[in-house]
Amino acid sequence: MTRADFMARLKSGLVGLPTSTAAEILSDYDTHFDDGAADGRSEAEVAAALGHPERLARELKAEAGIQRWQQEKNPSAAAGAVFAVLGLGALDIIFLLPLLMGVIGTLIGFFIAVIALFFAGGVMIVAGPFAGLPGGGLAALLAGLGTMAGATAAGAILMILTVLLVNALVWFARLHYRLLKPALESNTAQNPGEPA
């Protein structure tokens, strides 16, 4: 494979990343070809040492999604990390996908229930004094506040479970695809002549 072919395939695989991130990655891999030429290696040898550009692009996109999740910890970053890991297209992810979708669907269902419970507490506070409940308005106020507090606590627990789920998926990806930087750095230190 020639340098131009490798770089074109890598660039195509990086579509979807921010332009500056993709340009930096392409520059890094372009440097590998320059270094290889300086060492007397052919373009085909350098390309073979770097691996398949499509697979490399999927791994780099997964790592970018994981890094974004670690920095931002918001639903958008979580979805990006999940889809980036799923983009690796591994067989074990395909087996994990139905279970993962079931868990995500259950979490969404619980989030909807928590929101409904929170609003029900608000309705109790507002409408309770006029409903003629035993204990009067104070009982309705306390029942509504208790319901809203319970919903808030359940929502906090669901958020913790969601963060743990995304972190577990990130851990799974790193375990199976060796995306940990220390592992890459130790590999580079062991083989200084080979590009990372």
Side-chain angles (χ1 to χ4, degrees), residues 16-18 61-82 84 166 170 174:
L17 282 179
K61 285 173 84 169
E63 179 64 22
I66 289 168
Q67 285 176 353
R68 180 173 171 231
W69 160 249
Q70 290 177 334
Q71 292 170 355
E72 297 179 19
K73 299 278 188 194
N74 61 36
S76 172
V82 169
V166 173
V170 166
R174 287 190 166 163

Side-chain angles (χ1 to χ4, degrees), residues 119-131 137 140-141 144-145 148:
F119 282 113
V123 169
M124 275 193 228
I125 290 172
V126 172
F130 306 109
L141 175 70
L145 286 175
M148 292 174 80

Side-chain angles (χ1 to χ4, degrees), residues 30-119:
D30 207 30
T31 302
H32 287 303
F33 280 97
D34 291 338
D35 293 345
D39 292 340
R41 298 167 69 193
S42 71
E43 288 181 356
E45 290 173 328
V46 174
L50 291 173
H52 297 286
E54 290 84 5
R55 172 76 181 179
L56 187 60
R58 285 193 304 268
E59 290 175 357
L60 290 166
K61 285 173 84 169
E63 179 64 22
I66 289 168
Q67 285 176 353
R68 180 173 171 231
W69 160 249
Q70 290 177 334
Q71 292 170 355
E72 297 179 19
K73 299 278 188 194
N74 61 36
S76 172
V82 169
F83 287 120
V85 170
L86 292 177
L88 291 170
L91 187 61
D92 46 358
I93 291 290
I94 292 171
F95 291 122
L96 183 65
L97 188 60
L99 174 66
L100 186 64
M101 289 301 145
V103 170
I104 290 171
T106 302
L107 283 174
I108 290 171
F110 279 130
F111 273 117
I112 291 170
V114 162
I115 291 168
L117 193 60
F118 186 84
F119 282 113

